[in-house]
Amino acid sequence: MSPTAATKVLVIGYVWPEPRSSAASGHLMQILQVFLGQGWDITFSSPANPGEHKEDLSVLGIRECPIELNNSSFDRFIAELAPDIVLFDQFMMEEQFGWRVEQQCPGALRVLETSDLQSLRHARHQRLKERLKASDDNDDFSALFAPAAEQEFAGMADTDQARREIAALYRCDLSLMISEFEIELLVEQFGLPPALLHWCPLMPEHMPHSYVPFSERAHFLSIGNFRHAPNWDAVLWMKNAVWPLIRQQLPGAQLHIYGAYTPPKAAALHNPAQGFQVMNWAEDALAVMSAARICLAPLRFGAGIKGKLLDAMLCGTPSVTTPVGAEAMHGDAPWPGAVAESASAIAAAAVRLYQDQALWSQTQEQGRQLLLARYRQQVHGPALIERLQHCRTNLAQLRRDNFTGGMLRHHHHKSTQYMAQWIEAKNRLV
């Protein structure tokens, strides 16, 4: 490659990006925008079928190339492409294609975009299920939010999900982590070397200059892809516990719930008489967020950081959430709204913010300051490029230092290779 040739990047997506449907896709698109800003040559591939709200990447100058699981056609494809960097979107793609990438392009930098630590989210979901079985109390869930990192580790360590996910982190040269809490958990509890991790939070391209004023806003809003389990659980908790308490104090209030891929079970909750309105997918999430006075996000489990809450800050909309919702999003700064651990406390905070214009304006400004302090693409974009370039320059030493990752690649890739080849041979006989 000549010194002036553009860096070639191959992204292997778990799904085709839908930035208007999920924060995970939005974060991936932000990363792609940073790469495009460097003039890099980008190819996006996925074994998934295109979704209803798929982004047209070709408009941005990104090639779209479908690929197949358990098919040696990928070997020929990547060998011809010869990328300098391969970005796996979620650890399952590294499991499926990592051995092929290493076999065909051993000098390519292998990067994992985690979106969130899925094994942490699954462990927290299991803890919620156990709590719901143990008690009929639908108000106070403070015990869910209390565990320290050691307890989170204990809930994850014996699970297959954690073993698979953390092995993938080891096998890659660098993993992009959206949450500082998850970096701390991985380093201090699971023993991952910090050199394998890079903090890359949500990084919107543009910051707000003005907001829709308090007097021109009305109603409460909740938004989130219904295929994401924490969002559906939050809708159920609002329906059964939070929203009735808000309506007691604000009888005319309305809650508008938006989300991609609304299932029949969610549509069945639609009840205009109770002010509980399931609105389906929002064509423009920022427009509906800007029209709302309060964003409700009562998440009882989850991981990563929450795109809906960043969107609320971008729109100047105070939000009411739980410690899980606010986790790793505001550092030592005040939350731009309220954080509570029970349905009654969430409802009380939401009603107060809805009615108190001075408090509402104060929290709106806190959100603006938080965006400027933690989420500027002008800061995180260059930091990401610098880290990637450092890894490419020092790749041989980084891999020598990561003996555990090399050992895991050796054993995992051999077994995965033989299984994939067996499946491919079997498929030819069908």
Side-chain angles (χ1 to χ4, degrees):
M1 182 186 297
S2 69
T4 58
T7 296
K8 286 187 180 180
V9 180
L10 171 64
V11 181
I12 304 177
Y14 180 67
V15 296
W16 295 93
E18 295 189 15
R20 293 180 296 168
S21 299
S22 76
S25 282
H27 188 234
L28 184 57
M29 290 301 300
Q30 291 165 2
I31 292 170
L32 294 179
Q33 290 286 0
V34 170
F35 292 171
L36 288 170
Q38 297 294 305
W40 289 0
D41 183 350
I42 305 172
T43 301
F44 195 103
S45 297
S46 177
N49 293 322
E52 183 180 344
H53 308 299
K54 173 188 170 295
E55 185 82 353
D56 185 358
L57 299 176
S58 64
V59 172
L60 301 174
I62 299 173
R63 285 183 298 277
E64 299 181 353
C65 297
I67 53 177
E68 293 184 43
L69 296 170
N70 304 309
N71 195 309
S72 57
S73 61
F74 179 85
D75 300 342
R76 297 185 291 273
F77 160 70
I78 194 172
E80 182 177 341
L81 183 65
D84 303 296
I85 300 172
V86 176
L87 178 69
F88 302 103
D89 171 34
Q90 302 193 31
F91 78 90
M92 296 82 78
M93 292 299 94
E94 188 279 335
E95 285 184 327
Q96 290 287 341
F97 294 99
W99 70 272
R100 295 185 185 274
V101 171
E102 182 169 18
Q103 191 176 74
Q104 301 299 323
C105 302
L109 182 70
R110 296 184 291 268
V111 182
L112 176 60
E113 153 64 350
T114 60
S115 297
D116 65 5
L117 201 56
Q118 295 186 37
S119 50
L120 174 62
R121 169 161 40 91
H122 289 179
R124 287 173 168 175
H125 194 182
Q126 183 60 36
R127 192 161 67 234
L128 171 62
K129 291 176 181 178
E130 292 169 359
R131 157 65 175 79
L132 292 174
K133 287 180 181 178
S135 172
D136 293 331
D137 177 16
N138 207 22
D139 178 51
D140 186 2
F141 287 85
S142 56
L144 292 179
F145 310 125
E150 295 86 350
Q151 292 167 292
E152 297 284 18
F153 171 76
M156 298 167 62
D158 292 333
T159 66
D160 289 344
Q161 181 87 0
R163 293 183 180 116
R164 289 174 54 199
E165 186 169 26
I166 292 169
L169 295 174
Y170 266 111
R171 287 192 298 266
C172 288
D173 301 309
L174 187 69
S175 292
L176 308 184
M177 305 300 302
I178 203 167
S179 163
E180 291 170 303
F181 172 80
E182 292 175 5
I183 292 176
E184 178 184 344
L185 179 66
L186 289 169
V187 171
E188 296 187 2
Q189 299 300 317
F190 287 92
L192 262 80
L196 296 181
L197 307 173
H198 178 76
W199 181 46
C200 184
L202 294 168
M203 43 182 180
E205 194 173 2
H206 302 292
M207 290 294 173
H209 297 291
S210 61
Y211 303 116
V212 177
F214 178 89
S215 60
E216 296 179 18
R217 296 174 181 247
H219 310 312
F220 296 82
L221 173 139
S222 179
I223 191 166
N225 190 322
F226 281 104
R227 289 179 175 174
H228 192 53
N231 294 334
W232 170 238
D233 176 74
V235 169
L236 289 177
W237 196 28
M238 283 189 290
K239 175 69 173 180
N240 296 325
V242 178
W243 186 243
L245 295 174
I246 292 176
R247 283 278 288 191
Q248 285 178 10
Q249 300 177 70
L250 299 173
Q254 295 183 35
L255 171 59
H256 296 168
I257 299 173
Y258 293 90
Y261 302 106
T262 308
K265 63 183 180 181
L269 300 180
H270 181 72
N271 191 326
Q274 296 175 355
F276 197 92
Q277 304 204 41
V278 180
M279 312 293 286
N280 298 316
W281 182 65
E283 180 75 28
D284 187 337
L286 296 183
V288 296
M289 184 70 79
S290 294
R293 191 173 290 179
I294 303 294
C295 171
L296 289 178
L299 297 160
R300 292 190 287 191
F301 73 99
I305 62 177
K306 313 305 180 289
K308 62 177 70 64
L309 296 175
L310 189 84
D311 285 348
M313 296 179 216
L314 288 168
C315 297
T317 306
S319 58
V320 182
T321 187
T322 63
V324 164
E327 182 179 86
M329 290 201 70
H330 63 117
D332 296 328
W335 183 254
V339 178
E341 301 181 352
S342 66
S344 53
I346 290 169
V351 169
R352 183 184 176 201
L353 273 168
Y354 194 87
Q355 295 179 314
D356 188 334
Q357 183 172 354
L359 178 61
W360 187 91
S361 298
Q362 176 187 334
T363 56
Q364 181 185 77
E365 176 60 20
Q366 289 168 347
R368 190 182 73 84
Q369 294 296 333
L370 190 53
L371 284 172
L372 295 173
R374 289 179 66 89
Y375 297 103
R376 286 187 295 164
Q377 191 173 104
Q378 299 93 322
V379 173
H380 295 291
L384 173 59
I385 297 300
E386 181 180 353
R387 186 69 181 273
L388 292 174
Q389 299 288 31
H390 171 80
C391 288
R392 290 187 65 196
T393 302
N394 300 280
L395 186 56
Q397 184 62 49
L398 289 173
R399 288 180 176 172
R400 277 195 297 269
D401 292 342
N402 182 21
F403 177 80
T404 300
M407 179 175 60
L408 289 170
R409 285 199 310 275
H410 172 79
H411 291 287
H412 174 267
H413 288 352
K414 290 296 183 184
S415 60
T416 304
Q417 174 184 347
Y418 297 143
M419 177 59 73
Q421 290 172 339
W422 179 83
I423 293 173
E424 183 176 10
K426 180 174 178 289
N427 288 340
R428 290 198 192 103
L429 301 175
V430 176

